[in-house]
C-alpha cells in the first residue's frame, strides 16, 4: 500500500501499521479549547482517572476501567486504532475524553454503513459534562470526516436512556433515523434498544452555512 494517501487507507479500515510514524504524528485536529490527537501510553493515568467512573462506560456499552494498567492495555489494543483521538484540554494538556471515527470495516462499530460512511463515538470525563466540550470535538470530527476523509454520511448512536449523548447529537445536527431493539452489548453481556442518528454531507454543509 505504499504511496496511498493516509486518509484513503483510514477510510478502507487498514491498520495504522501501514502508515508511517510521521503520518500518524500528524493526525492531530484542533478546536478553540481542544487538541484531538492519537492516544499515547503515557495517557494511561488520565484515562483511568476518568474511565474508572461507573457513570461513564456502562451507559455507552463498556465496563469501567479497573486499573492504570488496564487503561494502558486498552490504549494499546483498542484506542490505537485509526481515527481514535484523545480529547485533550489545551489549557492543561490532559486527556479527558475520547472521540473517534469507525468505518464498516473497523473491528468495533454499531451502525450499518456503506463504504463511504462512518460512525462517530465519544465520551468525556464527568467533571467536564455540560461545558460544551464534546459537541466542540464532534463538530471538528464532522468537519474532518466530510472535508478531509471525503465521506458522505456520518452515523451516531445512543442507548435508550442516554439523554446526554442524545443531546450532543441534536446539538451537532444529527437527524434521528431509527431504533434497533434487542441489540446485544457484548462487553456488558446485556441487551438494549439503540437509537441511531445520522448527518449527511449536504445536511452538514447547510448547517455550517447558517452558523
Amino acid at each position: 500500500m505504499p504511496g496511498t494517501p493516509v486518509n484513503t487507507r483510514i477510510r478502507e479500515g487498514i491498520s495504522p501499521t501501514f502508515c508511517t510514524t510521521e503520518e500518524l504524528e500528524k493526525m492531530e485536529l484542533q478546536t478553540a479549547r481542544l487538541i484531538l490527537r492519537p492516544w499515547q501510553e503515557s495517557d494511561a493515568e488520565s484515562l483511568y482517572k476518568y474511565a474508572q467512573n461507573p457513570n461513564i462506560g456502562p451507559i455507552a456499552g463498556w465496563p469501567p476501567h479497573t486499573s492504570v494498567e488496564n487503561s494502558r492495555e486498552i490504549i494499546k489494543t483498542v484506542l490505537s486504532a485509526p481515527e481514535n483521538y484523545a480529547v485533550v484540554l489545551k489549557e492543561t494538556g490532559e486527556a479527558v475524553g475520547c472521540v473517534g471515527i469507525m468505518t464498516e470495516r473497523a473491528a468495533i462499530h454499531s451502525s450499518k454503513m456503506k463504504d463511504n460512511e462512518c460512525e462517530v463515538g465519544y465520551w468525556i470525563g464527568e467533571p467536564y459534562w455540560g461545558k460544551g466540550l464534546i459537541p466542540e470535538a464532534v463538530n471538528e470530527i464532522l468537519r474532518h470526516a466530510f472535508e478531509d476523509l471525503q465521506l458522505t454520511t456520518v452515523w451516531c448512536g445512543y442507548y435508550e436512556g442516554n439523554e446526554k449523548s442524545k443531546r450532543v447529537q441534536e446539538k451537532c445536527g444529527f437527524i434521528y433515523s431509527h431504533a434497533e431493539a434487542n441489540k446485544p452489548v457484548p462487553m456488558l453481556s446485556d441487551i438494549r434498544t439503540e437509537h441511531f442518528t445520522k448527518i449527511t454531507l449536504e445536511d452538514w454543509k447547510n448547517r455550517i452555512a447558517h452558523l
Side-chain angles (χ1 to χ4, degrees), residues 116-139:
N116 57 352
E117 300 178 347
C118 74
E119 177 183 355
V120 64
Y122 51 81
W123 65 266
I124 196 164
E126 190 169 6
Y128 301 98
W129 289 1
K131 299 181 183 297
L133 292 168
I134 277 296
E136 186 174 319
V138 171
N139 280 323

PDB file of all heavy atoms in Angstrom, residues 116-139:
ATOM      1  N   ASN A 116     -18.595   4.491   2.038  1.00  0.00           N
ATOM      2  CA  ASN A 116     -18.277   5.924   2.105  1.00  0.00           C
ATOM      3  C   ASN A 116     -18.955   6.603   3.296  1.00  0.00           C
ATOM      4  O   ASN A 116     -19.162   7.808   3.306  1.00  0.00           O
ATOM      5  CB  ASN A 116     -18.672   6.619   0.803  1.00  0.00           C
ATOM      6  CG  ASN A 116     -20.150   6.436   0.469  1.00  0.00           C
ATOM      7  OD1 ASN A 116     -20.851   5.664   1.129  1.00  0.00           O
ATOM      8  ND2 ASN A 116     -20.615   7.129  -0.557  1.00  0.00           N
ATOM      9  N   GLU A 117     -19.302   5.799   4.313  1.00  0.00           N
ATOM     10  CA  GLU A 117     -19.921   6.323   5.522  1.00  0.00           C
ATOM     11  C   GLU A 117     -19.097   5.928   6.745  1.00  0.00           C
ATOM     12  O   GLU A 117     -18.211   5.078   6.658  1.00  0.00           O
ATOM     13  CB  GLU A 117     -21.350   5.782   5.659  1.00  0.00           C
ATOM     14  CG  GLU A 117     -22.258   6.166   4.499  1.00  0.00           C
ATOM     15  CD  GLU A 117     -23.654   5.590   4.616  1.00  0.00           C
ATOM     16  OE1 GLU A 117     -23.879   4.682   5.460  1.00  0.00           O
ATOM     17  OE2 GLU A 117     -24.541   6.036   3.864  1.00  0.00           O
ATOM     18  N   CYS A 118     -19.383   6.552   7.868  1.00  0.00           N
ATOM     19  CA  CYS A 118     -18.688   6.192   9.109  1.00  0.00           C
ATOM     20  C   CYS A 118     -19.621   6.404  10.288  1.00  0.00           C
ATOM     21  O   CYS A 118     -20.721   6.948  10.150  1.00  0.00           O
ATOM     22  CB  CYS A 118     -17.403   7.009   9.275  1.00  0.00           C
ATOM     23  SG  CYS A 118     -17.690   8.744   9.732  1.00  0.00           S
ATOM     24  N   GLU A 119     -19.153   5.973  11.433  1.00  0.00           N
ATOM     25  CA  GLU A 119     -19.862   6.181  12.693  1.00  0.00           C
ATOM     26  C   GLU A 119     -18.933   6.929  13.637  1.00  0.00           C
ATOM     27  O   GLU A 119     -17.714   6.703  13.625  1.00  0.00           O
ATOM     28  CB  GLU A 119     -20.235   4.825  13.296  1.00  0.00           C
ATOM     29  CG  GLU A 119     -20.908   4.893  14.651  1.00  0.00           C
ATOM     30  CD  GLU A 119     -21.197   3.508  15.223  1.00  0.00           C
ATOM     31  OE1 GLU A 119     -20.966   2.506  14.534  1.00  0.00           O
ATOM     32  OE2 GLU A 119     -21.641   3.438  16.387  1.00  0.00           O
ATOM     33  N   VAL A 120     -19.482   7.821  14.434  1.00  0.00           N
ATOM     34  CA  VAL A 120     -18.673   8.538  15.414  1.00  0.00           C
ATOM     35  C   VAL A 120     -19.097   8.124  16.818  1.00  0.00           C
ATOM     36  O   VAL A 120     -20.271   7.893  17.095  1.00  0.00           O
ATOM     37  CB  VAL A 120     -18.795  10.076  15.230  1.00  0.00           C
ATOM     38  CG1 VAL A 120     -20.201  10.561  15.475  1.00  0.00           C
ATOM     39  CG2 VAL A 120     -17.820  10.811  16.137  1.00  0.00           C
ATOM     40  N   GLY A 121     -18.114   7.975  17.690  1.00  0.00           N
ATOM     41  CA  GLY A 121     -18.366   7.672  19.096  1.00  0.00           C
ATOM     42  C   GLY A 121     -17.583   8.638  19.963  1.00  0.00           C
ATOM     43  O   GLY A 121     -16.567   9.190  19.526  1.00  0.00           O
ATOM     44  N   TYR A 122     -18.027   8.817  21.207  1.00  0.00           N
ATOM     45  CA  TYR A 122     -17.383   9.815  22.065  1.00  0.00           C
ATOM     46  C   TYR A 122     -17.747   9.600  23.522  1.00  0.00           C
ATOM     47  O   TYR A 122     -18.749   8.972  23.852  1.00  0.00           O
ATOM     48  CB  TYR A 122     -17.823  11.224  21.644  1.00  0.00           C
ATOM     49  CG  TYR A 122     -19.322  11.359  21.530  1.00  0.00           C
ATOM     50  CD1 TYR A 122     -20.120  11.567  22.646  1.00  0.00           C
ATOM     51  CD2 TYR A 122     -19.944  11.238  20.297  1.00  0.00           C
ATOM     52  CE1 TYR A 122     -21.498  11.646  22.546  1.00  0.00           C
ATOM     53  CE2 TYR A 122     -21.323  11.316  20.178  1.00  0.00           C
ATOM     54  CZ  TYR A 122     -22.092  11.515  21.309  1.00  0.00           C
ATOM     55  OH  TYR A 122     -23.459  11.580  21.221  1.00  0.00           O
ATOM     56  N   TRP A 123     -16.919  10.124  24.406  1.00  0.00           N
ATOM     57  CA  TRP A 123     -17.239  10.262  25.829  1.00  0.00           C
ATOM     58  C   TRP A 123     -16.289  11.283  26.427  1.00  0.00           C
ATOM     59  O   TRP A 123     -15.231  11.569  25.854  1.00  0.00           O
ATOM     60  CB  TRP A 123     -17.155   8.924  26.572  1.00  0.00           C
ATOM     61  CG  TRP A 123     -15.782   8.285  26.643  1.00  0.00           C
ATOM     62  CD1 TRP A 123     -15.269   7.351  25.795  1.00  0.00           C
ATOM     63  CD2 TRP A 123     -14.763   8.544  27.612  1.00  0.00           C
ATOM     64  NE1 TRP A 123     -13.993   7.008  26.171  1.00  0.00           N
ATOM     65  CE2 TRP A 123     -13.665   7.720  27.280  1.00  0.00           C
ATOM     66  CE3 TRP A 123     -14.664   9.379  28.731  1.00  0.00           C
ATOM     67  CZ2 TRP A 123     -12.474   7.724  28.019  1.00  0.00           C
ATOM     68  CZ3 TRP A 123     -13.486   9.383  29.467  1.00  0.00           C
ATOM     69  CH2 TRP A 123     -12.414   8.552  29.111  1.00  0.00           C
ATOM     70  N   ILE A 124     -16.658  11.813  27.570  1.00  0.00           N
ATOM     71  CA  ILE A 124     -15.773  12.748  28.274  1.00  0.00           C
ATOM     72  C   ILE A 124     -15.956  12.551  29.772  1.00  0.00           C
ATOM     73  O   ILE A 124     -17.020  12.126  30.237  1.00  0.00           O
ATOM     74  CB  ILE A 124     -16.071  14.212  27.865  1.00  0.00           C
ATOM     75  CG1 ILE A 124     -14.904  15.131  28.285  1.00  0.00           C
ATOM     76  CG2 ILE A 124     -17.392  14.703  28.447  1.00  0.00           C
ATOM     77  CD1 ILE A 124     -14.924  16.487  27.607  1.00  0.00           C
ATOM     78  N   GLY A 125     -14.908  12.827  30.536  1.00  0.00           N
ATOM     79  CA  GLY A 125     -14.936  12.658  31.979  1.00  0.00           C
ATOM     80  C   GLY A 125     -16.039  13.486  32.624  1.00  0.00           C
ATOM     81  O   GLY A 125     -16.357  14.602  32.188  1.00  0.00           O
ATOM     82  N   GLU A 126     -16.620  12.944  33.691  1.00  0.00           N
ATOM     83  CA  GLU A 126     -17.781  13.582  34.334  1.00  0.00           C
ATOM     84  C   GLU A 126     -17.537  15.021  34.777  1.00  0.00           C
ATOM     85  O   GLU A 126     -18.445  15.854  34.689  1.00  0.00           O
ATOM     86  CB  GLU A 126     -18.266  12.727  35.507  1.00  0.00           C
ATOM     87  CG  GLU A 126     -19.587  13.185  36.069  1.00  0.00           C
ATOM     88  CD  GLU A 126     -20.199  12.197  37.048  1.00  0.00           C
ATOM     89  OE1 GLU A 126     -19.540  11.181  37.387  1.00  0.00           O
ATOM     90  OE2 GLU A 126     -21.344  12.434  37.478  1.00  0.00           O
ATOM     91  N   PRO A 127     -16.324  15.392  35.257  1.00  0.00           N
ATOM     92  CA  PRO A 127     -16.127  16.792  35.660  1.00  0.00           C
ATOM     93  C   PRO A 127     -16.321  17.777  34.508  1.00  0.00           C
ATOM     94  O   PRO A 127     -16.471  18.981  34.752  1.00  0.00           O
ATOM     95  CB  PRO A 127     -14.673  16.817  36.166  1.00  0.00           C
ATOM     96  CG  PRO A 127     -14.395  15.408  36.566  1.00  0.00           C
ATOM     97  CD  PRO A 127     -15.144  14.558  35.592  1.00  0.00           C
ATOM     98  N   TYR A 128     -16.314  17.290  33.267  1.00  0.00           N
ATOM     99  CA  TYR A 128     -16.401  18.175  32.104  1.00  0.00           C
ATOM    100  C   TYR A 128     -17.753  18.092  31.400  1.00  0.00           C
ATOM    101  O   TYR A 128     -17.927  18.648  30.321  1.00  0.00           O
ATOM    102  CB  TYR A 128     -15.246  17.865  31.139  1.00  0.00           C
ATOM    103  CG  TYR A 128     -13.919  18.042  31.819  1.00  0.00           C
ATOM    104  CD1 TYR A 128     -13.229  16.942  32.332  1.00  0.00           C
ATOM    105  CD2 TYR A 128     -13.384  19.308  32.019  1.00  0.00           C
ATOM    106  CE1 TYR A 128     -12.032  17.108  33.002  1.00  0.00           C
ATOM    107  CE2 TYR A 128     -12.185  19.487  32.696  1.00  0.00           C
ATOM    108  CZ  TYR A 128     -11.519  18.377  33.180  1.00  0.00           C
ATOM    109  OH  TYR A 128     -10.334  18.549  33.854  1.00  0.00           O
ATOM    110  N   TRP A 129     -18.713  17.406  32.007  1.00  0.00           N
ATOM    111  CA  TRP A 129     -20.061  17.372  31.457  1.00  0.00           C
ATOM    112  C   TRP A 129     -20.674  18.776  31.500  1.00  0.00           C
ATOM    113  O   TRP A 129     -20.436  19.558  32.415  1.00  0.00           O
ATOM    114  CB  TRP A 129     -20.943  16.421  32.265  1.00  0.00           C
ATOM    115  CG  TRP A 129     -20.605  14.959  32.086  1.00  0.00           C
ATOM    116  CD1 TRP A 129     -19.618  14.433  31.310  1.00  0.00           C
ATOM    117  CD2 TRP A 129     -21.262  13.851  32.709  1.00  0.00           C
ATOM    118  NE1 TRP A 129     -19.613  13.058  31.404  1.00  0.00           N
ATOM    119  CE2 TRP A 129     -20.620  12.676  32.260  1.00  0.00           C
ATOM    120  CE3 TRP A 129     -22.324  13.737  33.594  1.00  0.00           C
ATOM    121  CZ2 TRP A 129     -21.011  11.400  32.679  1.00  0.00           C
ATOM    122  CZ3 TRP A 129     -22.730  12.472  34.015  1.00  0.00           C
ATOM    123  CH2 TRP A 129     -22.076  11.319  33.552  1.00  0.00           C
ATOM    124  N   GLY A 130     -21.465  19.081  30.500  1.00  0.00           N
ATOM    125  CA  GLY A 130     -22.206  20.337  30.493  1.00  0.00           C
ATOM    126  C   GLY A 130     -21.398  21.564  30.116  1.00  0.00           C
ATOM    127  O   GLY A 130     -21.890  22.685  30.231  1.00  0.00           O
ATOM    128  N   LYS A 131     -20.168  21.368  29.642  1.00  0.00           N
ATOM    129  CA  LYS A 131     -19.314  22.500  29.279  1.00  0.00           C
ATOM    130  C   LYS A 131     -19.194  22.693  27.767  1.00  0.00           C
ATOM    131  O   LYS A 131     -18.451  23.553  27.298  1.00  0.00           O
ATOM    132  CB  LYS A 131     -17.914  22.320  29.886  1.00  0.00           C
ATOM    133  CG  LYS A 131     -17.924  22.247  31.410  1.00  0.00           C
ATOM    134  CD  LYS A 131     -16.532  22.101  31.973  1.00  0.00           C
ATOM    135  CE  LYS A 131     -16.546  21.942  33.491  1.00  0.00           C
ATOM    136  NZ  LYS A 131     -17.088  23.125  34.182  1.00  0.00           N
ATOM    137  N   GLY A 132     -19.898  21.862  26.998  1.00  0.00           N
ATOM    138  CA  GLY A 132     -19.873  22.002  25.545  1.00  0.00           C
ATOM    139  C   GLY A 132     -18.623  21.465  24.876  1.00  0.00           C
ATOM    140  O   GLY A 132     -18.400  21.702  23.682  1.00  0.00           O
ATOM    141  N   LEU A 133     -17.806  20.722  25.614  1.00  0.00           N
ATOM    142  CA  LEU A 133     -16.545  20.244  25.043  1.00  0.00           C
ATOM    143  C   LEU A 133     -16.745  19.108  24.038  1.00  0.00           C
ATOM    144  O   LEU A 133     -16.087  19.081  22.990  1.00  0.00           O
ATOM    145  CB  LEU A 133     -15.604  19.797  26.160  1.00  0.00           C
ATOM    146  CG  LEU A 133     -15.075  20.931  27.052  1.00  0.00           C
ATOM    147  CD1 LEU A 133     -14.391  20.358  28.286  1.00  0.00           C
ATOM    148  CD2 LEU A 133     -14.115  21.820  26.270  1.00  0.00           C
ATOM    149  N   ILE A 134     -17.647  18.178  24.339  1.00  0.00           N
ATOM    150  CA  ILE A 134     -17.854  17.080  23.399  1.00  0.00           C
ATOM    151  C   ILE A 134     -18.550  17.555  22.116  1.00  0.00           C
ATOM    152  O   ILE A 134     -18.130  17.168  21.019  1.00  0.00           O
ATOM    153  CB  ILE A 134     -18.596  15.909  24.076  1.00  0.00           C
ATOM    154  CG1 ILE A 134     -17.586  15.054  24.849  1.00  0.00           C
ATOM    155  CG2 ILE A 134     -19.308  15.028  23.058  1.00  0.00           C
ATOM    156  CD1 ILE A 134     -16.524  14.353  24.003  1.00  0.00           C
ATOM    157  N   PRO A 135     -19.574  18.403  22.169  1.00  0.00           N
ATOM    158  CA  PRO A 135     -20.076  18.956  20.910  1.00  0.00           C
ATOM    159  C   PRO A 135     -18.989  19.667  20.107  1.00  0.00           C
ATOM    160  O   PRO A 135     -18.956  19.565  18.872  1.00  0.00           O
ATOM    161  CB  PRO A 135     -21.169  19.937  21.370  1.00  0.00           C
ATOM    162  CG  PRO A 135     -21.669  19.344  22.654  1.00  0.00           C
ATOM    163  CD  PRO A 135     -20.445  18.781  23.319  1.00  0.00           C
ATOM    164  N   GLU A 136     -18.088  20.359  20.784  1.00  0.00           N
ATOM    165  CA  GLU A 136     -16.972  21.028  20.109  1.00  0.00           C
ATOM    166  C   GLU A 136     -16.078  20.006  19.407  1.00  0.00           C
ATOM    167  O   GLU A 136     -15.675  20.196  18.252  1.00  0.00           O
ATOM    168  CB  GLU A 136     -16.175  21.825  21.144  1.00  0.00           C
ATOM    169  CG  GLU A 136     -15.073  22.684  20.579  1.00  0.00           C
ATOM    170  CD  GLU A 136     -14.427  23.556  21.643  1.00  0.00           C
ATOM    171  OE1 GLU A 136     -15.160  24.105  22.504  1.00  0.00           O
ATOM    172  OE2 GLU A 136     -13.185  23.684  21.627  1.00  0.00           O
ATOM    173  N   ALA A 137     -15.793  18.900  20.094  1.00  0.00           N
ATOM    174  CA  ALA A 137     -14.962  17.850  19.500  1.00  0.00           C
ATOM    175  C   ALA A 137     -15.682  17.157  18.345  1.00  0.00           C
ATOM    176  O   ALA A 137     -15.088  16.916  17.282  1.00  0.00           O
ATOM    177  CB  ALA A 137     -14.573  16.827  20.566  1.00  0.00           C
ATOM    178  N   VAL A 138     -16.960  16.847  18.528  1.00  0.00           N
ATOM    179  CA  VAL A 138     -17.720  16.152  17.485  1.00  0.00           C
ATOM    180  C   VAL A 138     -17.864  17.032  16.248  1.00  0.00           C
ATOM    181  O   VAL A 138     -17.757  16.544  15.109  1.00  0.00           O
ATOM    182  CB  VAL A 138     -19.094  15.709  18.020  1.00  0.00           C
ATOM    183  CG1 VAL A 138     -19.983  15.194  16.883  1.00  0.00           C
ATOM    184  CG2 VAL A 138     -18.921  14.619  19.073  1.00  0.00           C
ATOM    185  N   ASN A 139     -18.072  18.320  16.424  1.00  0.00           N
ATOM    186  CA  ASN A 139     -18.163  19.213  15.269  1.00  0.00           C
ATOM    187  C   ASN A 139     -16.875  19.216  14.461  1.00  0.00           C
ATOM    188  O   ASN A 139     -16.902  19.272  13.217  1.00  0.00           O
ATOM    189  CB  ASN A 139     -18.520  20.629  15.718  1.00  0.00           C
ATOM    190  CG  ASN A 139     -20.003  20.790  15.984  1.00  0.00           C
ATOM    191  OD1 ASN A 139     -20.832  20.214  15.283  1.00  0.00           O
ATOM    192  ND2 ASN A 139     -20.353  21.589  16.985  1.00  0.00           N
TER     193      ASN A 139
END
